[in-house]
Amino acid sequence: MSDGAGGTPSRQALFVGIGCFVLWGAMPLLFIALGRMGASPWEIVGQRALWSAPWAGLLVLLARQGGHVRQAFARPGTVAWLALSAALIASGWGVFVWAVNNGHNLEASLGYYLNPLLNMAVGAAIFRERMNRFGVAAVALATVGVALQTVALGRLPMISLFLALTFLGYGLIRKKLAVEAQAGLFIECLLIAVPGVAYVIWLAHAGGGVFGRSLGPSLLMATVGPATVIPLALFAWIARRLPLSTIGFMQFIGPTMGFFIGLSLGETLPPLGIVAFAFIWAGAAMFGLGAWRTARRIQRPA
């Protein structure tokens, strides 16, 4: 099997992608635990930026991509695009951490349900990836679901839309930018770490923050580094090896986990909200059926 973006996805890339989104789906549990220890969303984001850079640097060393980092820094245009992707991912971090610590897990999960559908539409419109009738039906069902959720909330689901659009932009940049996965991720983390370190230093000087008070919370806070970098590295790797439509289908894993985390924490949905999610799940099922049928057609000649 080919693992180029336009060919049949390789089995290895598919398994890596599934693992990536399972890790992302479990991420709210870490942020909620830190929030219950007293950490503010901004402290979590600042520490996340601080601890991500060394872990991303370790990945560069393991992948022996130090030369790729130097080459990227030698191209100002590449650094500018990576700065934009870093800004997108950091803003998504902030909104997501705030949402899961303020009882908006369900709305955050809706955002990551939207992102795969945007991936399908953009993949068809920009990269000319074929979207069959099942894909069209999936997008249509999910669009109805979002409209119903807007009515149920009485407002636009701004958290959902922000998360979906920022992650879509990040994926598009990383798909087209000619930078190796670990090298690009390391540069992004370095760029994010600058304001992150500044905020952490200011917070410590002001006598606030959870980090440093006791061993347990400090160690748990330090885990935000690998918990952030590992899924991002996996995503950057699969973004250049899988079609956007395939990535879009796998991205339903994370929000489904987030949805049930929200329900387990006592968040509720009005009846219309339940109907809205039913439409979105129907869209995911429709796309899955289309992907299964496509895979069977590919395998039959072989």
Side-chain angles (χ1 to χ4, degrees), residues 16-99:
V16 170
I18 292 170
C20 167
F21 292 109
V22 167
L23 289 173
W24 259 323
M27 193 79 76
L29 297 174
L30 173 59
F31 298 147
I32 291 168
L34 289 170
R36 289 179 174 177
M37 291 179 178
S40 71
W42 306 118
E43 181 184 7
I44 295 171
V45 172
Q47 291 285 348
R48 194 177 186 185
L50 170 62
W51 290 103
S52 294
W55 280 90
L58 177 61
L59 287 178
V60 168
L61 292 177
L62 292 174
R64 298 180 180 179
Q65 291 187 4
H68 294 286
V69 173
R70 291 189 293 271
Q71 290 172 11
F73 271 121
R75 300 193 296 267
T78 298
V79 175
W81 279 109
L82 287 172
L84 178 57
S85 64
L88 288 171
I89 202 66
S91 61
W93 287 359
V95 171
F96 183 74
V97 172
W98 179 88

